Amino acid sequence: MLRERVEELDTRLKKNWGACQLCPIGFYATKHVLVEHVGFDDPYLQKIERCPLLFVGEAPGESEDVIGRPFVGKSGKLLRDSIDLLQETLSLKVPYSITNVVACRPCNGPNTANRQPDKKEMANCAPRLIDIVRTLDPVCVVALGHVAKLALEKANCHYGLHGVEFDEFYLNHPAYVLRSGGFGSETHKVFMQELSEALKLAEEYLENVHSS
């Protein structure tokens, strides 16, 4: 069942990637940000074998680097608040996991600004992302931003996710939504509409499992 695989995944990721220094950013990292699961402790989910929904972002930022959890800064608040609002509005109860393309904050040294992960950093961290996707076997994967979208495409083409089938959604990164007016803006309304489609598809899976 999924719960057992999640526990094994978290243990494996912590062992193999919790102190990774394949890239210089691993030396600079305060904490390596691996993956987080939301809502998986609900007894209602004991029968499920696949993760209903997996979010993949670009990289940890300053807040994530300090706390060690994905999407806990301003853009993370927008994402999580949007998910919570849609779950409440649509009467959904979809558990989900969140990770990033790379586990460490991309920067050029301590106390330097965030930047996009480079090709080598993404390649070094690709086996971690593939392990997450393979183990969770998600019904839906939401790529947040073009970096996440490209990383998933490359992971599939060059490393192979054979046997793992999922519906993929591409949404603007929450940071872009913030820059474009934030919560309630026209950009956010589009974001919410696309996010709702992923949540509804994930809910369909849960309904099918519990009706069988």
Side-chain angles (χ1 to χ4, degrees), residues 15 46 84 98 101 137 143 160-161 164 180 186 191 197:
K15 177 183 177 181
Q46 289 181 354
D84 290 346
I98 314 181
V101 172
D137 189 17
L161 289 172
V164 183
S180 301
E186 289 302 317
F191 180 86
E197 293 174 7

Side-chain angles (χ1 to χ4, degrees), residues 112-208:
T112 59
N114 297 337
R115 59 167 172 77
Q116 285 188 350
D118 62 33
K119 291 181 179 179
K120 184 175 182 180
E121 291 160 354
M122 293 168 67
N124 283 342
C125 222
R128 180 193 60 88
L129 179 59
I130 290 170
D131 189 13
I132 290 171
V133 175
R134 281 189 175 281
T135 302
L136 295 181
D137 189 17
V139 176
C140 304
V141 175
V142 176
L144 298 166
H146 73 279
V147 171
K149 181 175 184 290
L150 291 174
L152 284 166
E153 291 174 351
K154 184 170 287 188
N156 193 27
C157 291
H158 294 278
Y159 301 97
L161 289 172
H162 306 299
V164 183
E165 297 183 1
F166 50 80
D167 287 283
E168 186 175 350
F169 294 80
Y170 168 57
L171 276 65
N172 284 320
H173 194 282
Y176 174 82
V177 179
L178 283 176
R179 294 194 301 269
S180 301
F183 212 95
S185 66
E186 289 302 317
T187 303
H188 182 249
K189 290 177 183 177
V190 174
F191 180 86
M192 290 283 279
Q193 177 59 40
E194 295 170 341
L195 178 58
S196 70
E197 293 174 7
L199 284 165
K200 288 176 183 177
L201 190 58
E203 178 68 19
E204 284 182 19
Y205 163 73
L206 293 173
E207 291 176 353
N208 291 334

